[in-house]
Amino acid sequence: MIPVIALVVGVVIGLIVGPTVPIWLEPYLPIAVVAALDAVFGGVRAKLDGIFDDQQFVISFISNVLVAALIVYLGDQLGVGGQLSTGVVVVLGVRIFGNVAAIRRHLFRA
């Protein structure tokens, strides 16, 4: 219940404060969000499988975001940022859909 309350409080604070994203960070934010979603769905899957570890989740969450942002940054420096961004989104998307499929199988036995 605490994560749900924290999510609601975070959304309300975000709507009230209306934070802005620095221009230099804009290319990396969407990739970071997709990487964070991958970690979240992986955590939900692990919880349903009975193998969730909070320390592993936090490390996975932070490392996913940092590695994805680093890959996009390196791509920008090499002049192929768009292609690497697409690659990161595809890889993380496949992982997200795999986790969602496992969650669906676990919840609906289908």
Side-chain angles (χ1 to χ4, degrees):
M1 190 64 177
I2 292 174
V4 174
I5 293 170
L7 176 65
V8 171
V9 169
V11 168
V12 169
I13 290 173
L15 291 173
I16 292 171
V17 174
T20 58
V21 177
I23 292 177
W24 63 269
L25 191 60
E26 285 181 0
Y28 311 108
L29 188 61
I31 301 301
V33 169
V34 173
L37 284 173
D38 173 49
V40 168
F41 282 114
V44 170
R45 178 182 182 180
K47 182 69 172 174
L48 292 173
D49 289 342
I51 58 171
F52 181 79
D53 178 23
D54 56 346
Q55 185 177 11
Q56 183 179 1
F57 171 74
V58 170
I59 291 170
S60 170
F61 187 91
I62 293 170
S63 65
N64 274 9
V65 171
L66 291 177
V67 169
L70 178 66
I71 290 171
V72 174
Y73 173 76
L74 289 174
D76 286 345
Q77 297 305 308
L78 295 170
V80 292
Q83 292 89 342
L84 280 180
S85 294
T86 302
V88 169
V89 169
V90 168
V91 167
L92 292 174
V94 167
R95 288 174 44 109
I96 289 170
F97 279 108
N99 284 329
V100 168
I103 291 167
R104 176 189 43 83
R105 284 191 300 271
H106 186 78
L107 291 177
F108 300 112
R109 312 280 188 252

